[in-house]
Amino acid sequence: MVRILISIGFIILFLNSCGGNYETTEDGLKYKYHIQNQGVKKPNVGEVLYLNYTILDSKGDQLFSTAENRNGKSDVLVLEKPNYPGDYFQALSMMSVGDSATFLIVADSFYNKNLRKPLPQEIESGSKLMFQIRLVDVLTAEDAEKQKYKEKLARYDMEYKQMVNYIESNGLEVETLLPSGIKYILEENQSQKLDTGDIATIHYTGKLLDGTEFVNTYAANQPQPFELGKPYEIEFYNLVLPLLGKGE
C-alpha cells in the first residue's frame, strides 16, 4: 500500500510539473514555483546552498535524487555566476530558503557546461531536464565552515563513544596516544623504532567496529610503502608508525 501511494504521489507531482503554467525569464529559463516565500532574501554568489532535488529527463525517467542517491541528505554546493542563459545556477539564484520549484534546463548545456561531460546517449540532444528543487538553507562560506566543523565534532564524539564501548565490552587493555586519542595495542619485539625520513613497508588490515573489513593489503599481497614525516591525506600514518619497529 505504501509503495502504491508513493508511486501515485510521484505521478501526480510529475504531471503537475510537466503541465503548463510555466513562467519564462527574459533569457528563456522556464520555471514554476510550488512554494514561494515572498520577501525572503535570495542567495548571493559565493554563498553555500543546501538543497534537495530530483532530476528527470524529458521522458520522465529519474536521473538523480538526493532522497535516493544521498539517502535523503541535502546536497551542498557553492552558488556560482551563471555560465549561460538558463543556467542551473541562475535557477538556484531565483530561490529563497523554503522555496520549492521546478525548472526546465537544456540537457546539452547542463552536461557540457555545468558537469563538463558529454551528453549521455540515452538523453536526447536538445531536450530539457526537469529539476524539482527545494532550497533548504543558505549560509555564508564562513558559517558553512563552522557548521561543517560542528558536524565533524559530533561525528567524532559519537565514534569515540562507540570505540570506548567496544574496548570495554571486549575487555581490551589498550594504550592511548595523546593528543590524538588513538587507542592501540602493541606487540613489541625490541627492534629500533622508525624515525622521520625512514621508509617503512607495511601490511595492514582495517576493520569497522562491527567487523566489516574495508582494507586488507594481505589479501592482494601488496604491502604499502610510507615515508615517515611525509604529509599524507590520512594523518594516522605519521602518528602511528613512530610507535613501530621492524616486524612489530
Side-chain angles (χ1 to χ4, degrees), residues 33-45:
Y33 285 101
H34 308 294
I35 299 174
Q36 185 176 19
N37 295 304
Q38 299 288 349
V40 180
K41 186 182 81 69
K42 309 293 184 186
N44 298 315
V45 171

Side-chain angles (χ1 to χ4, degrees), residues 86-151:
D87 188 355
Y88 173 60
F89 289 112
Q90 179 185 353
L92 295 177
S93 68
M94 295 168 58
M95 303 185 71
S96 299
V97 173
D99 283 357
S100 176
T102 297
F103 297 89
L104 302 182
I105 298 176
V106 177
D108 306 68
S109 299
F110 178 71
Y111 274 93
N112 296 335
K113 297 180 180 180
N114 288 116
L115 300 183
R116 293 179 174 83
K117 60 172 60 176
L119 184 72
Q121 293 183 349
E122 62 270 19
I123 298 180
E124 182 179 354
S125 179
S127 65
K128 291 189 176 181
L129 303 178
M130 179 183 295
F131 286 75
Q132 300 168 339
I133 304 173
R134 180 175 180 272
L135 185 57
V136 178
D137 202 0
V138 177
L139 297 177
T140 64
E142 181 180 358
D143 287 341
E145 279 300 314
K146 291 179 180 178
Q147 177 66 21
K148 185 178 179 181
Y149 182 69
K150 182 178 178 181
E151 293 174 353

Side-chain angles (χ1 to χ4, degrees), residues 2-19 22 32 34 54 56 59-62 102 130 132:
V2 173
R3 292 182 179 177
I4 294 174
L5 291 175
I6 290 175
S7 299
I8 291 174
F10 177 79
I11 292 171
I12 291 173
L13 177 60
F14 176 68
L15 291 175
N16 287 339
S17 299
C18 285
Y22 277 97
K32 179 194 298 185
H34 308 294
T54 298
L56 308 173
K59 300 175 184 177
D61 294 330
Q62 183 173 294
T102 297
M130 179 183 295
Q132 300 168 339

